[in-house]
């Protein structure tokens, strides 16, 4: 069971170069951010850093001690950004009710958790009524390949499957759509044709530099009929307990 990025700190430092992709993620999530934000699987804070300019409290949790220590150093001078060594599947997660999250961010993490329904249930329990969960998860089992196995993906999702899972926990669906249509093609090639077992740093840099700036603008106007990932925003009902 994993509730953090499976990349090492060194890997995540390399991925921090994908600034356009993280900005794309942030632009999707930003309209739904509240005042008390919990980030599950915060890694070394590549996404967290984008929230620095907002007037909100941010608490990142991860099960990787090195990631948390990196966060402590990275945001040492920022009182509104904190990090905690904690597993969302742990009973101790209930203590975060005192933090009072009105937004939970869980990007590319849920697929690493064997019991994803329980994980969503934990999020539902600690979220304020009316609060939102923002998810990004990989799409389509047909894309599964050696990289998925190496990353520890238990599954890939469809819109209908994620809708049913979220509804079963008690969430209302605010947004639910595919994203990254070009990434779909690239992941298929890496999985089915080249049989890669790891992601290519060169591909990541090229995709981020040349594709993401254009693709993110296009998909802002026209949602793709399929994609490498799914973006979802789930809402806890106002009368939720």
């Amino acid at each position: 069971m994993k509730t953090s990025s499976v990349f090492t700190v060194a890997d995540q430092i390399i991925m921090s170069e994908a600034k356009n992709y993280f900005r794309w993620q942030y632009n999707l999530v930003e309209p739904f951010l509240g005042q008390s934000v919990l980030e599950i699987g915060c890694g070394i804070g590549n996404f967290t850093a984008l929230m620095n300019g907002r007037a909100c409290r941010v608490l990142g949790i991860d099960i990787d001690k090195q990631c948390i220590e990196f966060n402590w150093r990275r945001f040492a001078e920022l009182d509104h950004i904190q990090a905690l060594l904690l597993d969302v599947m742990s009973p101790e997660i209930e203590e975060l009710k005192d933090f009072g999250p009105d937004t939970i961010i869980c990007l590319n993490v849920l697929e690493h958790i064997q019991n994803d329904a329980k994980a969503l249930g934990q999020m539902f329990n600690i979220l304020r009524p009316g609060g939102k969960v923002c998810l990004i998860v990989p799409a389509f089992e047909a894309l599964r390949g050696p990289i998925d196995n190496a990353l520890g993906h238990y599954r890939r999702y469809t819109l209908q499957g994620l809708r049913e899972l979220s509804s079963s926990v008690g969430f209302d669906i605010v947004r639910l759509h595919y994203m990254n249509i070009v990434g779909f093609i690239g992941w298929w090639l890496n999985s089915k044709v080249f049989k890669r077992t790891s992601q290519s740093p060169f591909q990541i840099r090229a995709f981020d530099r040349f594709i993401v700036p254009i693709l993110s603008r296009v998909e802002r106007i026209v949602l793709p009929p399929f994609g490498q990932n799914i973006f979802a925003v789930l809402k806890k009902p106002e009368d939720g307990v």
Side-chain angles (χ1 to χ4, degrees):
M1 166 190 315
K2 300 178 179 69
T3 53
S4 72
S5 169
V6 296
F7 298 105
T8 65
V9 169
D11 290 333
Q12 293 187 59
I13 291 173
I14 293 174
M15 290 182 66
S16 67
E17 297 178 22
K19 298 183 185 302
N20 291 320
Y21 185 71
F22 283 113
R23 174 60 62 175
W24 184 10
Q25 291 183 324
Y26 179 77
N27 288 340
L28 288 170
V29 169
E30 193 273 338
F32 307 99
L33 292 177
Q35 299 301 307
S36 297
V37 180
L38 173 64
E39 184 180 2
I40 295 175
C42 61
I44 65 170
N46 286 329
F47 183 89
T48 315
L50 295 173
M51 293 185 281
N52 181 26
R54 288 186 57 87
C56 63
R57 299 182 302 158
V58 180
L59 175 62
I61 66 171
D62 206 291
I63 62 171
D64 189 313
K65 184 178 180 181
Q66 286 187 315
C67 285
I68 295 302
E69 291 174 346
F70 192 102
N71 271 271
W72 290 340
R73 294 190 298 271
R74 184 173 188 174
F75 304 115
E77 298 181 1
L78 301 175
D79 293 337
H80 65 292
I81 297 180
Q82 303 292 327
L84 183 65
L85 186 66
L86 183 64
D87 189 339
V88 70
M89 302 296 281
S90 168
E92 284 74 23
I93 198 73
E94 287 282 331
E95 297 176 10
L96 295 190
K97 282 186 176 180
D98 293 336
F99 176 71
D102 55 17
T103 313
I104 295 178
I105 300 170
C106 185
L107 308 181
N108 301 302
V109 172
L110 195 63
E111 64 273 17
H112 298 288
I113 303 175
Q114 186 170 11
N115 191 340
D116 54 354
K118 181 178 179 181
L120 279 177
Q122 298 275 72
M123 297 180 212
F124 187 94
N125 289 337
I126 64 175
L127 192 64
R128 290 184 191 172
K132 298 179 179 67
V133 173
C134 297
L135 298 172
I136 292 179
V137 296
F140 297 110
E141 274 297 320
L143 288 183
R144 174 175 286 277
I147 296 178
D148 290 276
N149 298 330
L151 291 175
H153 289 177
Y154 281 102
R155 69 197 69 80
R156 301 180 71 92
Y157 294 83
T158 61
L159 295 184
Q160 183 60 27
L162 188 55
R163 179 182 292 110
E164 292 175 355
L165 173 65
S166 303
S167 297
S168 71
V169 173
F171 284 111
D172 296 327
I173 308 296
V174 177
R175 295 203 68 179
L176 184 66
H177 60 78
Y178 293 115
M179 61 175 289
N180 195 359
I181 193 170
V182 175
F184 177 99
I185 298 168
W187 199 274
W188 181 83
L189 287 171
N190 281 332
S191 294
K192 306 302 181 183
V193 178
F194 301 121
K195 308 292 185 181
R196 295 186 186 276
T197 58
S198 63
Q199 298 182 92
S200 162
F202 171 78
Q203 286 183 350
I204 291 172
R205 294 188 185 102
F207 177 75
D208 186 72
R209 181 177 179 182
F210 300 110
I211 303 298
V212 171
I214 299 171
L215 183 62
S216 60
R217 290 180 174 86
V218 171
E219 292 194 4
R220 189 185 310 161
I221 300 170
V222 181
L223 295 178
F226 58 90
Q228 179 185 340
N229 299 94
I230 294 172
F231 174 64
V233 179
L234 316 176
K235 181 179 179 180
K236 182 174 181 176
E238 296 287 350
D239 59 353
V241 294

